[in-house]
Amino acid sequence: MFFLGRDGMRDLQARAERLSADLASGQWKPNRFDRRALLKLTSANGPVINREAIVTMFDQLYKEHGPGQLNKMTSRLTTLLTDTAAAQDQPSIAALPEGQEALSAVSSLVRSAA
């Protein structure tokens, strides 16, 4: 379960960094369903991928490819992106230094995995 606040943001950052490390070591390779999602998010401007871009990406993938697209994405990636969008629902949480670091870690992962 995802928790908001400083601890939740630290957890989000740690999960993004673990997935990045797994990507770098070859333990995780984005599948074609992951890549579709990641490519849609790479066009997001700024240091973080905003909530609207994530929600739009999920909506577009669902409309274009149906529920199978979302079901075949790596669960760790899907959960990370969903939690990233949820964290931004609370601007006071996302604005914390821990929040900005976590959101930046997710952005770095998306850009390197795409």
Side-chain angles (χ1 to χ4, degrees):
M1 174 175 260
F2 177 67
F3 296 99
L4 292 174
R6 293 181 194 278
D7 291 338
M9 293 297 99
R10 287 185 194 111
D11 176 62
L12 185 67
Q13 180 179 355
R15 289 187 289 138
E17 289 172 350
R18 278 193 301 274
L19 196 53
S20 290
D22 288 349
L23 176 68
S25 70
Q27 291 181 354
W28 174 62
K29 294 180 182 164
N31 63 37
R32 67 185 172 122
F33 304 100
D34 297 335
R35 283 203 175 89
R36 282 182 191 153
L38 294 166
L39 288 173
K40 287 188 179 291
L41 292 175
T42 56
S43 63
N45 295 329
V48 300
I49 299 169
N50 66 36
R51 178 192 183 285
E52 290 76 25
I54 295 170
V55 171
T56 299
M57 176 270 305
F58 279 124
D59 285 344
Q60 286 176 349
L61 289 175
Y62 184 81
K63 288 176 184 171
E64 293 168 5
H65 303 285
Q69 161 68 37
L70 304 178
N71 291 336
K72 293 177 182 172
M73 287 176 61
T74 303
S75 61
R76 289 170 63 192
L77 178 63
T78 304
T79 304
L80 184 72
L81 294 174
T82 303
D83 290 349
T84 299
Q88 294 180 60
D89 278 342
Q90 298 293 322
S92 61
I93 301 297
L96 292 171
E98 292 87 350
Q100 289 300 304
E101 289 176 23
L103 297 174
S104 293
V106 172
S107 293
S108 294
L109 166 68
V110 168
R111 289 182 175 87
S112 63

